[in-house]
Amino acid sequence: MFLSLTSVIALTLLAVQNCVGEPLCVLSSSVGSVVLRGSSFHVYCTFKCKCKGSMCSNHPPTLQGHKHSPDQYIAHRPSCPHAADPCGLDILVGYPPDPPKIVSCIYETLKSRNGVVNCTWNRGRDTHLKDHFELWVRTGSGNHIEVFNVSSKRAELLSTTFSLSRLVQSILVQVQSQNALGSVESSPVNYTVSDIVRPSRPVLQQPECSSRYCIIKAETSVKIQSLQIQIKTSQEQEWKTHPDSVTLTSSSQAQNISSLEPYRSYDFRARSKFSTGLWSVWSESVASWTQEEAPSQALDVWFPPDVKPMTIYWKEANTSISSGRILDYRVRVHSRNRTIMNSSTGNKSFSGLFCADCKVTVWARNSKGLSPPATITIHRIKANTLQDVRAVGINSTIAISWRKLEAAPAEYVVEWYPEDPNLKEIKWVRLGKNNTRTVLTGISPWVCYEGAVFAFYNEDLVSRTKFKRVATLESAPTLGPSIEKMVEGGKTIITWPELPRIHRRGCITKYTIYLKWHRDNKSHQKLYFARASDRKYVMKDLPSGRYSLMMSASTAKGESPAGQKIEFFVEENTQLPPLLVFVLAAPVVLFLCCLCNSATVKQRFREYFYCLIPEVVPDPANSKWAKECTREKGKMSLQLPSGSAGLIIKEDETIPVNVEELSKQICDTPTSLSSPPLTSMSPETEQTKLLYPCLPYIKSLSQDSDSSDHTETSQDTTVDYITSHGPELLDAYDQEDGDEPMHFVPSLNIFIDPLEFGGKLTLDAVKIDCSDFF
């Protein structure tokens, strides 16, 4: 049998017999037990019994073809029930070794007089066989060769170490590789020890750091010439070599690493070198924090005008700005050098009621102090808006662009935020005056964003231009709004909350309301549309009947499924229309106005509802007496009410009174009435005399002098005023009539005191006192 082996590592031939107590078989190969991969060879199997057999190879066994030889050499496996154990032969397949290629030999010094040499070589391709390596080393000019055996490994690079005295100056190295298919040697390599020598790795102590530098101490086993240090922060992946290398004069040396940032975690590692030779292996890294400093830069503060209540935001300072761990933020609200409020907070925003011309200053504080102040003005004067502001969503980013202005501002600020009013995810970026575009990153998909571009000309003069709502990814909403209805008279009010963000899938463009009803055995439907910002819709003048209502939301990519379905009933409206109510009420109001202008109606109303009419003290300047006084200077008509004896004086019967002008000196001294009172005067009277010493008056009840018809019915209480010539006037009146003297008293006996006159009474200064009438 001939086998062509291209991928078989080991070949196993099996043959069995059913001959009990006899040798099984004999297997042999034409090339032995190790075969070069890709070659052909013969395998022979000889049985001592005659039976039907088979030949297999590999594991699990694979049936192979065979042929019978004329001398009855048969490879077979009997199929009888008493089969014996099979016999077989193992054959290894592989390649002869390649010549090794020496990569390097390194001499590492130790504290002792000897060092260690480590040589590395490349074995070449994998032979799939067991290989054996020997390292031949010859020192100096002698012929003595030291042999170092190296066990076989599957690794591509192999290495071995051996001791070497410091006195040796050069070595010759060669590697031999062998296996069952052959052996081969590498080319010899000659090394000068001073070129391959290196120190052992240094050991770093824990660094001592301030805010800007760290002191690194390294220890080595022997005295070295140079020490190189590399650093990196905890967030960085690549090491950076410090530009300065130190020449060490002893086995322990300190190096100052400067130009560091405050409050940073740094990793350090080091390696050393003699004046010649190679650098040592890098040491184990050590880590340390630099100390804090007061924050070096002001915060980036922003005031978004649309946020209610008014809120000041600032960005969290990164480590390079904060220079330490921020403890809190200090906020001061002030106006024109007057501090209104001081506060501190641990948040990145501050809300409050700010005055129109207020300014807000914010500081960041760490353990070392405060940052420079960042001030923002609340009041802003509007400037001309920008032109052609565009926003386009592209691959999880939003590109913003605008046209450059003729008068360039000092800076631009681009603000953006999700349209959800419950989320205060305000973000902004500041740009230079020459920028006309920016790309916003960190944009969430399926979220609708709003924003604006601000152009700052100075602290107060600002223009603001909003850009349209934009989303980077959009689809039709996955859910319709849940609605609530309320029927009020002829109005049906529908309200709905904003869709949850997860169901919006972009920017909502409109809401569609589906109203359905049945009438006259027919189904009817009407559509209503609401804006994206609306949360309420009013449907007016719906006819009475039963209705069903559903609602959907739409984006630019499609419409959502209809939401919750509700049913409601509209009752017939029994209320009169406002126009009809006005037409019916107008004649009634006009009729009542006409009645109010009738004197008879007024009189009857006073008679029946006199208790509802408030008591009004009339103005004495409107009395007939005052009017007659103004018409006839120097004369007054005194109308006396009917006395207790039944004296009746008609309205047109007047008594002329001569008014005499008194000198001013008379009023300088308080005067009293001419006749002493019969009874002591009350405290009110005394106080009155003190307040008005030269303007005495008396009180009486008189008839209403509006008209003669009302003289007997109207009993209004008024005060009649007389001059200080009252006694002479009464005497003259008595003499003319010839009857018994008339006392000037009211017809009702309210006053029992006699009349007292004195001083001068004028209508320009009169005091009315009605408290003693009843």
Side-chain angles (χ1 to χ4, degrees):
M1 181 184 71
F2 299 94
L3 295 177
S4 177
L5 302 179
T6 58
S7 60
V8 180
I9 297 177
L11 173 68
T12 303
L13 303 177
L14 304 175
V16 296
Q17 60 159 358
N18 61 351
C19 305
V20 179
E22 296 184 6
L24 299 177
C25 60
V26 177
L27 293 176
S28 61
S29 168
S30 60
V31 294
S33 60
V34 180
V35 180
L36 178 64
R37 177 170 269 185
S39 63
S40 299
F41 61 94
H42 293 149
V43 176
Y44 301 97
C45 179
T46 304
F47 289 95
K48 295 183 179 180
C49 59
K50 297 180 180 179
C51 49
K52 185 177 181 181
S54 61
M55 181 176 288
C56 301
S57 64
N58 287 331
H59 183 79
T62 302
L63 187 65
Q64 299 287 342
H66 64 279
K67 81 175 179 178
H68 297 278
S69 62
D71 53 0
Q72 301 296 321
Y73 283 96
I74 302 173
H76 74 286
R77 181 172 184 173
S79 57
C80 50
H82 302 289
D85 293 336
C87 60
L89 173 66
D90 293 334
I91 298 177
L92 301 178
V93 180
Y95 300 104
D98 290 337
K101 296 180 180 179
I102 297 178
V103 175
S104 65
C105 287
I106 298 175
Y107 179 47
E108 186 170 324
T109 60
L110 301 175
K111 289 184 178 181
S112 61
R113 299 185 62 181
N114 294 333
V116 175
V117 177
N118 181 277
C119 289
T120 304
W121 63 91
N122 191 326
R123 64 178 297 171
R125 67 176 177 176
D126 188 5
T127 63
H128 302 287
L129 300 174
K130 184 176 181 180
D131 299 329
H132 179 73
F133 298 92
E134 290 182 353
L135 179 66
W136 300 343
V137 179
R138 184 169 60 187
T139 60
S141 59
N143 295 324
H144 175 68
I145 297 177
E146 295 187 18
V147 178
F148 302 97
N149 296 319
V150 181
S151 60
S152 175
K153 297 179 181 180
R154 291 297 183 187
E156 182 179 358
L157 291 177
L158 300 176
S159 64
T160 188
T161 58
F162 57 90
S163 297
L164 186 66
S165 173
R166 293 186 182 179
L167 302 178
V168 176
Q169 296 182 355
S170 64
I171 58 175
L172 181 69
V173 179
Q174 192 174 15
V175 178
Q176 182 191 57
S177 175
Q178 61 182 358
N179 61 20
L181 295 180
S183 66
V184 67
E185 295 83 21
S186 69
S187 301
V189 180
N190 191 14
Y191 290 102
T192 302
V193 175
S194 62
D195 294 337
I196 63 173
V197 66
R198 73 178 183 187
S200 58
R201 66 166 56 184
V203 178
L204 296 184
Q205 298 180 0
Q206 188 64 30
E208 298 177 0
C209 296
S210 66
S211 60
R212 295 288 179 173
Y213 65 88
C214 288
I215 298 176
I216 306 297
K217 292 183 179 180
E219 293 184 354
T220 58
S221 59
V222 294
K223 183 179 178 180
I224 61 175
Q225 182 71 20
S226 301
L227 181 70
Q228 189 179 68
I229 297 178
Q230 287 186 335
I231 60 175
K232 73 179 184 69
T233 62
S234 302
Q235 294 78 22
E236 295 175 340
Q237 299 296 328
E238 297 183 359
W239 290 90
K240 297 179 181 178
T241 302
H242 194 267
D244 298 331
S245 296
V246 178
T247 300
L248 301 181
T249 58
S250 63
S251 59
S252 178
Q253 186 73 29
Q255 184 171 0
N256 190 345
I257 307 299
S258 59
S259 301
L260 303 181
E261 295 293 332
Y263 197 64
R264 292 282 188 94
S265 176
Y266 286 96
D267 294 332
F268 303 90
R269 69 177 184 179
R271 64 179 182 177
S272 57
K273 182 184 177 181
F274 294 115
S275 58
T276 61
L278 306 173
W279 284 101
S280 69
V281 179
W282 288 106
S283 67
E284 295 289 339
S285 62
V286 294
S288 181
W289 282 82
T290 53
Q291 296 182 10
E292 295 185 0
E293 284 184 356
S296 59
Q297 298 183 28
L299 295 170
D300 187 355
V301 182
W302 180 241
F303 166 59
D306 289 339
V307 176
K308 303 298 181 184
M310 298 174 68
T311 305
I312 303 296
Y313 293 88
W314 53 87
K315 292 182 179 179
E316 184 176 7
N318 56 33
T319 308
S320 61
I321 296 177
S322 63
S323 301
R325 185 173 66 87
I326 298 300
L327 301 177
D328 58 17
Y329 298 95
R330 300 293 175 88
V331 181
R332 175 181 296 170
V333 182
H334 52 95
S335 174
R336 299 178 181 177
N337 299 325
R338 179 174 61 91
T339 300
I340 298 175
M341 179 177 57
N342 286 317
S343 181
S344 63
T345 178
N347 302 323
K348 294 181 292 182
S349 62
F350 181 79
S351 301
L353 297 175
F354 306 117
C355 55
D357 59 344
C358 282
K359 294 184 178 181
V360 181
T361 302
V362 185
W363 297 266
R365 185 180 71 90
N366 62 15
S367 61
K368 298 297 183 179
L370 297 175
S371 68
T375 302
I376 192 167
T377 303
I378 301 300
H379 177 67
R380 293 171 179 171
I381 302 174
K382 293 183 179 180
N384 295 330
T385 59
L386 301 175
Q387 300 296 324
D388 297 335
V389 176
R390 299 179 181 180
V392 181
I394 305 174
N395 298 330
S396 300
T397 62
I398 296 178
I400 310 292
S401 63
W402 59 91
R403 186 190 301 174
K404 189 174 182 180
L405 296 173
E406 295 182 0
E411 69 169 350
Y412 294 100
V413 175
V414 179
E415 172 193 78
W416 71 98
Y417 48 88
E419 69 171 351
D420 192 340
N422 296 324
L423 298 176
K424 298 181 179 179
E425 301 174 3
I426 304 291
K427 294 183 179 180
W428 67 94
V429 61
R430 297 183 182 274
L431 303 171
K433 62 181 181 180
N434 296 323
N435 291 84
T436 57
R437 62 178 58 89
T438 186
V439 177
L440 310 181
T441 59
I443 303 299
S444 302
W446 317 110
V447 176
C448 186
Y449 284 87
E450 296 178 307
V453 180
F454 295 80
F456 282 82
Y457 295 89
N458 54 45
E459 191 178 53
D460 299 327
L461 187 60
V462 183
S463 74
R464 178 192 184 201
T465 308
K466 289 187 175 182
F467 55 80
K468 67 177 183 178
R469 300 156 65 239
V470 61
T472 57
L473 290 176
E474 280 191 300
S475 67
T478 59
L479 185 68
S482 57
I483 54 179
E484 297 181 358
K485 60 88 184 175
M486 180 174 61
V487 179
E488 294 182 352
K491 297 180 182 179
T492 301
I493 303 175
I494 301 169
T495 59
W496 62 93
E498 189 167 18
L499 279 177
R501 182 190 291 188
I502 192 174
H503 295 295
R504 283 182 234 159
R505 312 298 287 176
C507 296
I508 300 297
T509 56
K510 66 178 179 179
Y511 294 100
T512 305
I513 302 171
Y514 295 88
L515 182 66
K516 296 182 179 180
W517 70 95
H518 292 274
R519 185 171 290 112
D520 300 332
N521 296 327
K522 292 183 180 180
S523 179
H524 302 272
Q525 177 175 294
K526 188 174 181 180
L527 302 183
Y528 298 87
F529 299 97
R531 296 173 300 180
S533 59
D534 292 340
R535 296 295 172 267
K536 182 175 71 173
Y537 192 87
V538 179
M539 293 184 290
K540 299 179 180 180
D541 302 330
L542 289 179
S544 61
R546 184 171 297 277
Y547 295 86
S548 63
L549 189 144
M550 294 183 298
M551 193 172 183
S552 66
S554 299
T555 64
K557 297 297 183 180
E559 185 179 4
S560 72
Q564 171 192 5
K565 179 180 179 180
I566 63 171
E567 295 184 353
F568 61 95
F569 184 80
V570 177
E571 298 180 353
E572 184 176 359
N573 189 5
T574 58
Q575 296 181 353
L576 293 177
L579 181 60
L580 181 59
V581 172
F582 176 77
V583 171
L584 296 177
V588 177
V589 173
L590 292 175
F591 177 74
L592 293 177
C593 291
C594 293
L595 289 179
C596 291
N597 292 329
S598 173
T600 306
V601 173
K602 289 183 180 179
Q603 180 64 28
R604 295 301 180 187
F605 182 83
R606 291 176 179 176
E607 291 178 359
Y608 294 113
F609 301 100
Y610 65 93
C611 59
L612 300 178
I613 301 176
E615 182 178 355
V616 179
V617 177
D619 186 356
N622 295 328
S623 64
K624 294 179 69 175
W625 187 47
K627 293 177 181 178
E628 292 176 0
C629 178
T630 57
R631 285 197 303 264
E632 300 181 13
K633 279 193 174 183
K635 294 184 179 182
M636 299 183 65
S637 296
L638 178 61
Q639 179 179 336
L640 297 177
S642 55
S644 60
L647 177 64
I648 298 176
I649 303 175
K650 294 182 179 181
E651 183 179 357
D652 56 351
E653 295 180 7
T654 59
I655 303 174
V657 179
N658 294 324
V659 179
E660 180 181 358
E661 293 293 337
L662 300 180
S663 61
K664 184 176 180 183
Q665 288 78 7
I666 299 176
C667 293
D668 293 338
T669 305
T671 58
S672 60
L673 297 176
S674 59
S675 301
L678 298 177
T679 58
S680 62
M681 299 180 69
S682 64
E684 274 187 31
T685 307
E686 294 178 358
Q687 184 180 4
T688 302
K689 293 175 67 176
L690 293 176
L691 292 175
Y692 302 93
C694 58
L695 301 176
Y697 63 91
I698 62 172
K699 306 168 191 174
S700 66
L701 295 180
S702 67
Q703 304 292 338
D704 188 359
S705 60
D706 251 355
S707 66
S708 59
D709 296 335
H710 301 158
T711 302
E712 297 299 326
T713 58
S714 179
Q715 299 294 331
D716 293 338
T717 304
T718 62
V719 179
D720 286 338
Y721 299 86
I722 64 173
T723 67
S724 57
H725 302 284
E728 293 84 357
L729 178 63
L730 293 180
D731 293 341
Y733 187 79
D734 292 340
Q735 292 174 3
E736 291 179 2
D737 287 350
D739 298 330
E740 39 179 89
M742 181 188 68
H743 299 283
F744 187 76
V745 293
S747 58
L748 299 178
N749 296 324
I750 297 177
F751 301 101
I752 60 174
D753 296 340
L755 296 177
E756 298 180 3
F757 301 95
K760 179 180 180 181
L761 178 64
T762 64
L763 293 177
D764 296 331
V766 177
K767 178 180 178 182
I768 302 174
D769 187 358
C770 302
S771 61
D772 296 334
F773 284 177
F774 302 99

